[in-house]
Structures are given as structure tokens and as C-alpha cells.
Amino acid sequence: MALQFNFISSMLIILLLTISSAKAQEAGGVGGRGGGDGGVIDVVAKFGAKADEKTDLSKPLLDAWKEACASTSPAKIVIPKGTYFLSTATFDGPCKAPIELQVEGIVKAPADPGAFKEPKWIAFNRIENFKLSGGGVFDGQGTIAYKREGCDKHNFCGSLPINLRFDFLTNAMIQGVTTKDSKQFHVNVLGCKNITFEHFIVSAPGESPNTDGIHIGRSDGVNVLNTEIKTGDDCVSIGDGSKNLVINGVTCGPGHGISIGSLGLFKNEEPVDGVTVKNCTLTNTSNGVRIKSWPGAEPGTCSNIHFEDIIVTNVSSPIIIDQKYCPWNKCKINEESKVKLSNISFKNIHGTSALPEAVKIICSATLPCENVELIDIEIMHSGPTGPAVSQCSNVKPKVSGKQNPTACSAPVPANPTSTS
């Protein structure tokens, strides 16, 4: 009996200690165990944030970030469910340990574009081992900006705030959150290494100007996986200096498609090298998979680009290389692009085109495209202007598998229409 009693007593003590420890952890963690101990920091419980849509979340959130970033063990900041107002916030690193921002609520930006002094709303800067999660929403409230006089012609859009900026992050995961109605780009990725977007959602009206879903520039190892993008510009746009990118499982539409470029507009652009776009679905977009560069302008290179297993439905230009990209006629249209394109493949791309020009590969006359492959292409178009056609200029693609339309079988107009 004594042995049994001692055993039972020991088990009870262990149980009580476990419960006590759990309660202490909960009280200290959710209420704000932080600093050197890491843990979970609740911006409402510890820093007094209010989900009333009018009290600025900025100070409580940045105070929480300061504490979490200084922790020598992993820390998590939680924005609980509710609707919050956030004027602006920049989260600076480096931090001493891995850090996570778990957004469960809806965070709203100022609706007035004039409230911003810089073209950013929320920015994450120079952080290593960072995670953004929680199923929450970043609402840029861009409706007023979309109606701003001249914005539809891109005279003012460049100074409007981007919803989420990720600058010089290393080893980051952006998972299960939504960005909606940004006044400009939804996401801008610059100078990052090994950053993944997964189960990410972008939502904006099809007529919203310059609202690219995810724009990537000068970054290495970016993955965009199982993501849904509906917007008024490119679903994913890939700028100079991007390398080792994987875009897999993206659904796009409305929008302007998945684009590399535009390239060759600015001096000292860095090469684009190693981009794979696979298992993507594009519906009711103005373009499908695209590479675009400006005529004249500046030199550059773009190589090792692979588009594979793509489904297009009612897409205006499903497959396109456009080295005469000249929106708003702001270019030297009679000059040739100085961007060299090489090692590019379009494989297993099926579906329907909204216009007859299902395949359009318009390369530079002075730097013809090299090693372009068309493999198993089947894109249908039915309309009063006839069946789907394939146009090629300054390129001799390698062709294999089924080709509908027949590769490079249609003449190219003297002045090809630039894509949007």
C-alpha cells in the first residue's frame, strides 16, 4: 500500500506541476512572456491594442516587435481575431532568434492615399528566420486610390503604398494570410534569399491599376506555392536579378498573367536566371505565361526559364515573348530590345485563347532568342476571326509533341500589338 500510495502521490505531484507549469506558461506567454525568454506575445493582452477599427495598432505592434526581436529564444507575436486600424509599420531586424508574426484578425490601412509619406504600408526589413502566418487579412482599402485621377494612366501609381514589403529577408515563410485591395503592388520582394509564399491569397478587382500580386526583384530562392491571386495587373511579376525561382500551383485570374519583366528599361539591370513556372491555372487573364522586354533602352539577359503544365481558359495571349513591350507608347518602338533571351521552354500548355494569337514569340532582331522549345502545345480559339494562330519573329524554336496551333505558322504584323 505504501508503495502504491507513494507512486500515486508522485504521479499527482507530477500532474500538479505539469498543470501549474502549463498555466504559468499560458499566463506568462499569452499575456506577454517575452524579452530574453521568447514565448508568445499577445498585442491586445500585453500592449493594449484595440480591435475597434480606429485606434492605431502601430505602437502596440512595434512595441511587441521590439520585445520579440530582442529575445534570445524563438518568439511569436499574435494579433488576435478582430478588426484593427494600422497607419503604417516597419519591422526592422536583425533579430536575435527566429520570430513569427501570427495575424488572426483583419488589419486595415488608411483609406486616404494622402495619409502615406512613403510608398509602403507594412514593411519587413533585414530579418532572418521569419514567419508570417495566422489566416488573417491585410486590407489596403485601395478603392479611393483606384479612382484617383490619372492613376489609371500610371501617372501617380508609383508613389502609392505597397501593402507588404519584404526587403533583404533570409529564410522566411509567408503562409496562410491574405492581402487585399492594395493601393499599388500587393507584395514586393527585394533582395531576399530563401523566402516561400504558401497558401497565400491576393484579392483585388480586375480593374485595379498597378496592383501586381507578388513582385520579385534581385532575390534568390523565392517559392510561390499553392497560391490564389486575383488582381488588376500581373499575378506574379519577376524583375531583374531574380534567380532560382519556383512558381507552382498558382491560380491566376483576373489579372495580367505570370510575367518575367518588363526587362531592359533601367541601367545596370542584373540577369534573370532559373525560373520554373509549373502546375498553374490562368483564367480570364490578359496574358498567360510571358516574358517582356523594352525595345531600345538598356541591355540585360534572361535565361533558363521553364513554363510547364499550364492550363489557360479564355486567356487573351496564352504564350508570349514580347520584346516590343511598349505600354502607353513610352518607348523607342522602332529600335530592338537589348535583352538577350535563351534556354526557354513552354511545355504541356493546354486550354483556350480569347484571341486568335494563342502563341506569340516576338524576339529582338539584333539579339534573336536562342534555344526556345515548344513542347505539347494545344490551345484552341473559336470566333469570327478564325482559329488559333502561332506567330514567331527572330526565333527558330525547337518543336516536339502536339502543336495546335502549328508552331510559327502565321505571319507577324509589321507593328505587333504590345501587351498590357
Side-chain angles (χ1 to χ4, degrees), residues 17-317:
L17 287 171
T18 302
I19 293 170
S20 175
S21 174
K23 286 185 175 179
Q25 193 171 38
E26 181 179 356
V30 175
R33 188 187 72 203
D37 295 331
V40 179
I41 304 171
D42 185 316
V43 295
V44 173
K46 182 162 188 181
F47 290 99
K50 295 181 180 179
D52 59 7
E53 300 189 49
K54 58 182 180 181
T55 304
D56 194 353
L57 179 62
S58 181
K59 188 178 186 307
L61 185 55
L62 291 175
D63 285 347
W65 180 265
K66 183 178 180 181
E67 180 174 310
C69 191
S71 169
T72 54
S73 59
K76 178 191 291 186
I77 300 166
V78 176
I79 301 176
K81 290 184 178 179
T83 303
Y84 304 81
F85 168 76
L86 176 63
S87 58
T88 186
T90 297
F91 302 91
D92 286 317
C95 296
K96 293 183 178 180
I99 189 166
E100 179 175 357
L101 176 59
Q102 182 172 303
V103 180
E104 299 172 358
I106 298 170
V107 182
K108 289 188 173 183
D112 181 6
F116 295 87
K117 295 179 181 179
E118 296 180 89
K120 61 180 181 179
W121 175 33
I122 299 171
F124 301 90
N125 183 44
R126 299 186 186 280
I127 308 162
E128 188 171 351
N129 299 318
F130 170 70
K131 184 175 182 180
L132 177 61
S133 66
V137 177
F138 296 95
D139 184 353
Q141 298 208 91
T143 304
I144 294 174
Y146 304 155
K147 297 177 181 177
R148 185 176 176 181
E149 185 179 357
C151 190
D152 59 336
K153 297 179 181 177
H154 296 254
N155 292 333
F156 297 104
C157 283
S159 61
L160 292 170
I162 294 167
N163 260 16
L164 299 172
R165 286 198 63 108
F166 301 97
D167 297 328
F168 307 103
L169 270 58
T170 301
N171 301 328
M173 169 67 78
I174 317 302
Q175 187 177 57
V177 293
T178 296
T179 168
K180 67 172 291 191
D181 296 343
S182 181
K183 296 175 179 67
Q184 203 201 153
F185 292 3
H186 281 85
V187 172
N188 192 80
V189 178
L190 176 67
C192 291
K193 187 171 184 178
N194 299 331
I195 179 171
T196 295
F197 295 82
E198 187 174 24
H199 300 297
F200 187 70
I201 296 174
V202 176
S203 177
E207 65 274 12
S208 57
N210 209 30
T211 53
D212 291 40
I214 300 174
H215 178 74
I216 302 163
R218 303 204 173 191
S219 296
D220 185 353
V222 181
N223 303 296
V224 182
L225 311 175
N226 303 316
T227 286
E228 177 184 317
I229 303 176
K230 299 177 179 179
T231 193
D233 211 298
D234 291 330
C235 290
V236 180
S237 56
I238 298 165
D240 77 291
S242 300
K243 55 184 180 179
N244 304 316
L245 271 55
V246 175
I247 316 296
N248 194 321
V250 170
T251 60
C252 167
H256 292 181
I258 298 173
S259 299
I260 297 175
S262 55
L263 302 175
L265 182 59
F266 301 106
K267 290 182 180 295
N268 302 315
E269 288 189 358
E270 296 180 8
V272 175
D273 186 12
V275 178
T276 298
V277 179
K278 191 171 182 178
N279 297 320
C280 294
T281 300
L282 300 102
T283 304
N284 298 325
T285 54
S286 57
N287 303 285
V289 289
R290 171 172 64 158
I291 303 172
K292 51 182 176 175
S293 70
W294 291 79
E298 301 297 327
T301 64
C302 177
S303 58
N304 301 311
I305 313 298
H306 305 291
F307 303 102
E308 185 174 354
D309 299 333
I310 309 294
I311 297 173
V312 293
T313 303
N314 197 41
V315 170
S316 295
S317 297

